[in-house]
Amino acid sequence: MAKLTRFGRTILPGMLIIAFVLVAPFRATGGEVSTDPATLKRLVSEAYNKFKDLKEGKPADYIPELAKVPPDLFGVVIVTAKGEIYTAGDVDHAFSIQSVSKPFTAALVMQEQGSQSILEKIGVEPTGLKFNSILATQILPQVSVNPLVNSGAIAAVSMVKAKTAAERFNKILDFEDRLAGAKLKVIEDVYKSEAATNQRNRAHGYILFVSDRIYSDPMEAVDVYTRQCAIGVTAKQLAVMGATLANNGVNPITKARVIDARHVPKVLALMMMAGFYNESGLWAYTAGLPAKTGVGGGIVAVVPGKMSIVGFSPRVNDAGNSVRSAKAIEYIAEQLGANVFGSGR
Ligand code: GLU
């Protein structure tokens, strides 16, 4: 009895303290996602160095101008919800935003008409098919599938309230400017190149038109969509756009509210389900972060409440996803334990 009491009073507390000291570092990695500056700085440069020599994939060439972008450009950026910026590589090179613009135009429509309007007039289901699949547009004849595939993105553009095409485009550009905290510009050569070769997107426009799923003149919507895709962003600017989502709709650099907080989870849900083209399931399974990719080589991923992680590199795989960018983001997310499905968070 006396022995047990001594064990209880002195030895047991000592053992508990030793056990706590041993376990504490592991608890830290399984809990809150770290925003420690030294950690983020290290991870950005580690991700850059690990994948900078990877040559898998090739620049998209179905838009001729994209094939001219130097294939070895590579940049990695983290912007936290508090506005700290960590970078490595080519983070100031402007590339065309392409499909990464899609969730932001959906957010603009939500701002104007509420998130229910996306559900009713476009839809939110992932297709499991390519982003420009005509078949996907025909699967759900009452809607245009979801705003992150081409048909749904063209429909989203057509929903932006405006009297003219110029007004509609300027609204989209102004919204992206506020998200990025910068004056963005169209890369005219990319716009012209895609406008001359976007017959498939015009087909989407006409299919939507004949089945009452487009809300402005269809060719005008396709043209504004094509200009939207040609907006130039740097990896750093894209990361600020993503960090605005991570910060519940407030741009962490300019401090301006751009998206209502209630719409942010809807935008992230779209990104989670359809942000990675027909590899969205794979991405959810491996990285577990809402993200959006574009054939220009940009990818933005969002760790809600914490940060955005962006990669830019023009070599894309068959699905259209930048190989180095995806690997870099996945590496950082894994090191941080940032998977949104992780119970440790
Ligand atoms: N402008 C491109 C298209 O419509 C965007 C594709 C993409 O980035 O997924 O084909």
Side-chain angles (χ1 to χ4, degrees):
M1 186 67 188
K3 265 189 185 166
L4 266 183
T5 306
R6 206 176 132 234
F7 179 82
R9 281 201 190 134
T10 56
I11 299 173
L12 185 61
M15 285 170 70
L16 286 174
I17 289 167
I18 291 167
F20 180 79
V21 169
L22 288 175
V23 166
F26 299 102
R27 284 180 66 247
T29 58
E32 276 278 290
V33 175
S34 173
T35 52
D36 164 55
T39 306
L40 299 186
K41 188 166 182 261
R42 173 177 59 79
L43 288 178
V44 163
S45 76
E46 274 177 19
Y48 176 80
N49 287 316
K50 252 175 137 32
F51 302 112
K52 70 178 175 1
D53 298 321
L54 195 65
K55 301 279 188 206
E56 236 176 279
K58 62 179 179 53
D61 55 9
Y62 76 100
I63 299 171
E65 197 62 27
L66 292 187
K68 297 186 192 160
V69 179
D72 286 323
L73 289 166
F74 183 33
V76 183
V77 186
I78 288 178
V79 175
T80 69
K82 294 200 174 97
E84 294 113 344
I85 303 178
Y86 304 92
T87 66
D90 303 308
V91 297
D92 293 312
H93 178 93
F95 57 94
S96 58
I97 188 166
Q98 297 297 340
S99 277
V100 188
S101 60
K102 290 172 178 169
F104 299 113
T105 300
L108 172 58
V109 172
M110 291 181 202
Q111 284 299 110
E112 285 189 347
Q113 297 159 52
S115 57
Q116 192 66 15
S117 68
I118 295 282
L119 201 55
E120 285 165 5
K121 293 185 155 179
I122 298 179
V124 296
E125 295 302 335
T127 67
L129 295 167
K130 274 189 94 78
F131 61 92
N132 57 4
S133 164
I134 298 277
L135 176 65
T137 306
Q138 293 168 321
I139 286 175
L140 298 170
Q142 70 282 25
V143 286
S144 43
V145 189
N146 79 64
L148 304 196
V149 295
N150 285 12
S151 54
I154 294 166
V157 165
S158 79
M159 283 176 74
V160 174
K161 288 200 186 308
K163 288 200 180 69
T164 62
E167 190 191 343
R168 182 166 288 117
F169 177 72
N170 286 335
K171 266 193 168 178
I172 292 170
L173 183 62
D174 173 68
F175 192 66
E176 291 198 8
D177 283 355
R178 286 187 283 135
L179 287 159
K183 279 262 163 244
L184 304 177
K185 281 202 292 280
V186 170
I187 305 176
E188 290 294 338
D189 288 343
V190 172
Y191 165 69
K192 283 187 207 136
S193 174
E194 185 167 0
T197 54
N198 66 353
Q199 289 76 10
R200 198 179 179 91
N201 285 337
R202 288 183 235 168
H204 280 288
Y206 280 125
I207 294 171
L208 296 178
F209 178 71
V210 295
S211 48
D212 285 331
R213 292 179 280 163
I214 197 151
Y215 310 98
S216 74
D217 174 84
M219 289 309 99
E220 186 192 294
V222 171
D223 188 54
V224 173
Y225 162 80
T226 306
R227 262 190 105 63
Q228 165 189 302
C229 288
I231 291 172
V233 282
T234 66
K236 229 196 274 175
Q237 290 164 339
L238 182 58
V240 177
M241 296 172 83
T244 302
L245 289 171
N247 194 31
N248 258 318
V250 174
N251 181 317
I253 309 291
T254 65
K255 312 290 180 209
R257 173 162 296 283
V258 189
I259 305 173
D260 291 354
R262 70 203 152 112
H263 298 321
V264 172
K266 308 289 185 207
V267 178
L268 296 181
L270 293 172
M271 290 165 72
M272 192 81 237
M273 297 307 292
F276 247 77
Y277 302 125
N278 44 326
E279 288 182 339
S280 298
L282 178 66
W283 179 254
Y285 198 82
T286 52
L289 284 181
K292 185 69 197 91
T293 80
V295 292
I299 304 182
V300 60
V302 177
V303 186
K306 294 290 177 186
M307 68 189 79
S308 71
I309 313 172
V310 161
F312 159 61
S313 184
R315 291 182 206 272
V316 299
N317 66 10
D318 286 344
N321 295 317
S322 166
V323 181
R324 289 177 182 170
S325 303
K327 294 239 185 249
I329 295 169
E330 194 182 329
Y331 173 75
I332 293 171
E334 187 168 351
Q335 295 297 310
L336 287 172
N339 188 320
V340 294
F341 304 112
S343 58
R345 294 180 81 243

